[in-house]
RNA sequence: GGUGAGAUAGUCAAGUGGCCAACGACGGCGGACUGUAAAUCCGCUCCCUACGGGUUCAGAGGUUCGACUCCUCUUCUCACCA
């Protein structure tokens, strides 16, 4: 029982530090019913969650299944600094009202996966603000610059001649201090968070809390391209708020290789079930497309509903397998007569008339399923279905 | 505080007076092929109803018939020294 729980907890993880502690906590739960805390921090600047974020949420849900109490931390204070991880941009200051709003939308999205009964949402400004200058100073004495520079991305930036702001040094310290305050037993995060996560251990020791949190790191989920991490700014993401059709279509567009990754990190199926599917594809008894469809359906159903997922699947096959027109698309109404390039731009199918012309030249534009050859074409009044490429559609009524 | 180097399109990165809307790579988009996959091949990739015009190479001035390229100042970044 404990072993099985441990296996599901370890599933897909990139690295675990202090595995024995996790084992002990599980043991205490199974034998004495004692619960424990698992902390995970989130940035209030990005309330639009995508599947990349849900990797962590799934892991948290697994922990909940095995007795954990989740400390869902919203880093409203630390957001003012900006996590040095990845790109360095100066963050805009968030107004308290915005943070509250973002936190609300977090809850809405997060509780599709997490059990609210076993979750506490906390904000770190609550205890960092009272720290004051002297508390902050004390915090900085627990660490030194040389060790700070050991951090991978600091080192890279330092050697690569990219600036590092002093405030960025504070970020890991504060994140670690959160663990001190919350007295967390385990903290989970992405592999890119390793340094910050370890800081929690360091500070729990420095502040003599009598424990050092175990750390579980999840790999960063690759985006739709399969190479770069899933992120909104790269546009390779599947948002949890995406419409069922989009969600389904996006999952289906990933590569076969990536599909297994998604299964491991996002599916609710057990490790054993996935092994069976894998074997099926390997010996040819299961078509990879079918397997991918199942995954797409599972994910779509999670964030919408079973029915919506089934509809999305039907719609998808209709549009793409039989190359028919989708039932759902944006409507526009414009005055005619209208130049085709302008129409495409107005319907948001193209960013500029220049781009529209190029695409017409390349045979990418269709009106009512018929390829447009004349880039000077004028649209008279009537109703049209405009299409660019394979997936961009719009319905246009010309007056 | 001193000295030196640098800032080019989504990113990286050529170009050091006209041949530059600016090589190339990546990304992105489109086409072929498919399972709307991947891989591969081909085309496109600042804007504008366009065999032409407009606005670009950190910002502001200047030199010149002409500047991304030369000069001055400003802003930002980095390295070395303190």
């Amino acid at each position: 029982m404990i072993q099985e729980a441990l296996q599901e907890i370890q599933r897909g993880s990139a690295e675990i530090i202090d595995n024995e502690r996790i084992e002990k906590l599980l043991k205490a739960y199974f034998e004495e019913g004692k619960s424990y805390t698992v902390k995970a921090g989130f940035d209030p600047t990005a309330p639009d969650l995508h599947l990349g974020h849900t990797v962590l949420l799934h892991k948290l849900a697994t922990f909940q299944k095995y007795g954990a109490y989740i400390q869902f931390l919203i880093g409203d204070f630390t957001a003012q600094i900006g996590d040095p991880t990845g790109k360095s941009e100066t963050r805009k200051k968030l107004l308290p009202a915005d943070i509250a709003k973002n936190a609300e939308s977090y809850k809405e999205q997060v509780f599709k996966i997490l059990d609210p009964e076993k979750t506490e949402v906390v904000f770190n400004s609550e205890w960092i603000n009272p720290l004051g200058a002297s508390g902050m100073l004390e915090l900085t004495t627990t660490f030194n610059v040389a060790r700070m520079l050991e951090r991978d991305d600091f080192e890279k930036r330092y050697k690569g001649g990219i600036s590092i702001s002093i405030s960025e040094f504070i970020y890991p310290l504060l994140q670690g201090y959160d663990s001190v305050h919350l007295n967390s037993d385990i903290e989970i995060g992405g592999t890119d968070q390793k340094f910050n996560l370890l800081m929690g251990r360091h500070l729990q020791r420095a502040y003599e809390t009598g424990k050092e949190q175990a750390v579980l790191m999840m790999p960063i989920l690759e985006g739709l391209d399969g190479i770069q991490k899933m992120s909104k700014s790269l546009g390779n993401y599947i948002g949890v708020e995406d419409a069922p059709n989009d969600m389904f279509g996006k999952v289906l567009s990933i590569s076969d290789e990536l599909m297994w990754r998604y299964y491991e990190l996002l599916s609710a199926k057990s490790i054993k079930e996935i092994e069976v599917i894998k074997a099926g594809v390997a010996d040819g008894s299961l078509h990879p497309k079918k397997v991918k469809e199942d995954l797409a359906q599972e994910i779509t159903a999670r964030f919408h509903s079973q029915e919506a997922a089934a509809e999305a699947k039907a719609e998808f096959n209709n549009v793409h397998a039989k190359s028919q027109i989708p039932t759902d698309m944006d409507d526009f109404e414009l005055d005619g007569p209208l130049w085709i390039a302008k129409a495409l731009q107005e319907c948001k199918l193209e960013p500029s008339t220049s781009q529209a012309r190029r695409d017409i030249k390349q045979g990418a534009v269709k009106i009512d399923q018929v390829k447009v050859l004349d880039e000077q074409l004028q649209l008279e009044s009537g109703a049209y279905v405009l299409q660019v490429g394979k997936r961009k559609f719009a319905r246009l009524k010309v007056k």
Side-chain angles (χ1 to χ4, degrees), chain A residues 89-204:
Chain A
E89 277 169 49
T90 317
R91 302 282 177 116
K92 287 169 215 142
K93 281 229 166 131
L94 286 171
L95 297 169
D98 290 329
I99 291 175
K101 208 174 86 193
N102 291 347
E104 274 314 305
S105 78
Y106 253 119
K107 286 182 193 168
E108 232 170 80
Q109 302 177 25
V110 159
F111 290 138
K112 283 176 182 168
I113 296 172
L114 290 185
D115 177 357
E117 296 293 311
K118 296 180 185 166
T119 308
E120 182 188 11
V121 178
V122 292
F123 298 82
N124 65 359
S125 61
E126 232 172 82
W127 55 86
I128 291 177
N129 272 330
L131 215 48
S134 61
M136 194 72 107
L137 194 62
E138 192 192 339
L139 187 58
T140 58
T141 60
T142 62
F143 216 67
N144 64 52
V145 171
R147 291 204 54 195
M148 198 59 92
L149 284 174
E150 283 172 15
R151 184 183 155 140
D152 199 43
D153 45 14
F154 278 153
E155 193 187 350
K156 264 187 215 142
R157 282 164 66 185
Y158 189 64
K159 283 190 178 157
I162 300 163
S163 87
I164 302 169
S165 150
I166 296 288
S167 65
E168 293 181 85
F169 277 1
I170 308 287
Y171 190 96
L173 288 170
L174 290 176
Q175 183 170 338
Y177 185 76
D178 291 340
S179 293
V180 172
H181 178 86
L182 292 169
N183 202 26
S184 312
D185 291 309
I186 300 173
E187 175 163 9
I188 75 172
T191 47
D192 57 340
Q193 290 285 316
K194 183 170 183 177
F195 187 89
N196 296 355
L197 296 169
L198 288 173
M199 187 61 85
R201 281 168 74 82
H202 171 81
L203 289 179
Q204 282 179 330

Side-chain angles (χ1 to χ4, degrees), chain A residues 23 41 69 80 88 91 102 151 162 214 222 234 246 274 281-282 331 349-350 359 379 382:
Chain A
E23 217 172 324
Y69 194 72
Q80 295 174 38
S88 62
R91 302 282 177 116
N102 291 347
R151 184 183 155 140
I162 300 163
E222 291 87 347
L234 292 172
D246 286 343
I274 293 173
V281 171
D331 277 291
L349 296 177
E350 296 281 17
D359 280 337
L379 295 177

